Amino acid sequence: LRTIVFGIIDSLVSTVGLLAGIDVAGAPHATLVLTGIVYAFVEGFSMASGDFVSEESAEEYASMSGVNSRPSLISAVMMFFSFVIASPVPLAPYLLLPAGTALVVSVSASVLVLFAVGVLSARFAHLPVVWRGARMALMITGAGGLALLAGFLLLGEIVGSYELSVVLASGDAVRAHPL
């Protein structure tokens, strides 16, 4: 359960952050969608590899010897699929809607799925479901909001204004900036 929840959370948060940053920078719609699809698979493989190595390392440390790699491999496969399967939640709005609307729908849908994952994981653990769902959605949304704020501040610094309409209209200046 831990691996699945981790994969879903990481997929939703990082994919929303990536797509929001590309969207705000004014990238063409096709670039945004292709980047999201490629990111889902690249990051899915990365998370699976990291999960495999960390799980196996933890087991080896606990047993002070080599271990059977099968549980670590199963965990890695679960990580990959949970990451890739969750990635359409923030990506689908960009396939179906104009960029500005897609951003709002992408974030909203991801928060709702985070709440649902919190509820389901609490149900498996026999914990208070509403509180756990809200906690997961709020904690992850808060962290994502801070990352989005940092990105907005960086964009504001690049374009010389923190007014949203100015930042949104400055795609060329952002693309031309060396960062």
Side-chain angles (χ1 to χ4, degrees):
L1 183 62
R2 181 183 76 193
T3 297
I4 293 169
V5 170
F6 183 34
I8 292 170
I9 289 170
D10 193 60
S11 178
L12 295 174
V13 174
S14 61
T15 305
V16 165
L18 175 72
L19 295 175
I22 293 170
D23 186 12
V24 171
H29 191 75
T31 301
L32 197 143
V33 170
L34 180 60
T35 301
I37 292 168
V38 169
Y39 177 78
F41 285 95
V42 169
E43 189 63 18
F45 281 117
S46 173
M47 292 294 294
S49 300
D51 188 74
F52 175 82
V53 171
S54 66
E55 288 290 329
E56 192 162 88
S57 296
E59 289 177 37
E60 288 172 342
Y61 178 78
S63 68
M64 298 299 231
S65 66
V67 296
N68 179 354
S69 294
R70 186 172 181 186
S72 299
L73 184 59
I74 291 169
S75 181
V77 169
M78 288 179 5
M79 175 64 78
F80 173 79
F81 282 110
S82 63
F83 190 98
V84 172
I85 288 169
S87 65
V89 172
L91 181 59
Y94 289 96
L95 295 168
L96 306 170
L97 303 167
T101 304
L103 175 60
V104 173
V105 174
S106 176
V107 171
S108 300
S110 295
V111 169
L112 288 174
V113 171
L114 287 168
F115 179 82
V117 169
V119 166
L120 290 173
S121 64
R123 192 160 246 201
F124 280 115
H126 305 291
L127 296 168
V129 292
V130 174
W131 165 243
R132 292 295 178 152
R135 183 183 78 161
M136 183 172 298
L138 292 173
M139 284 178 55
I140 302 305
T141 303
L146 290 174
L148 194 56
L149 175 63
F152 182 76
L153 293 174
L154 180 61
L155 286 171
E157 192 64 30
I158 289 170
V159 302
S161 173
Y162 295 102
E163 188 174 326
L164 184 58
S165 60
V166 173
V167 172
L168 291 174
S170 301
D172 291 337
V174 171
R175 283 188 290 280
H177 196 274
L179 283 179

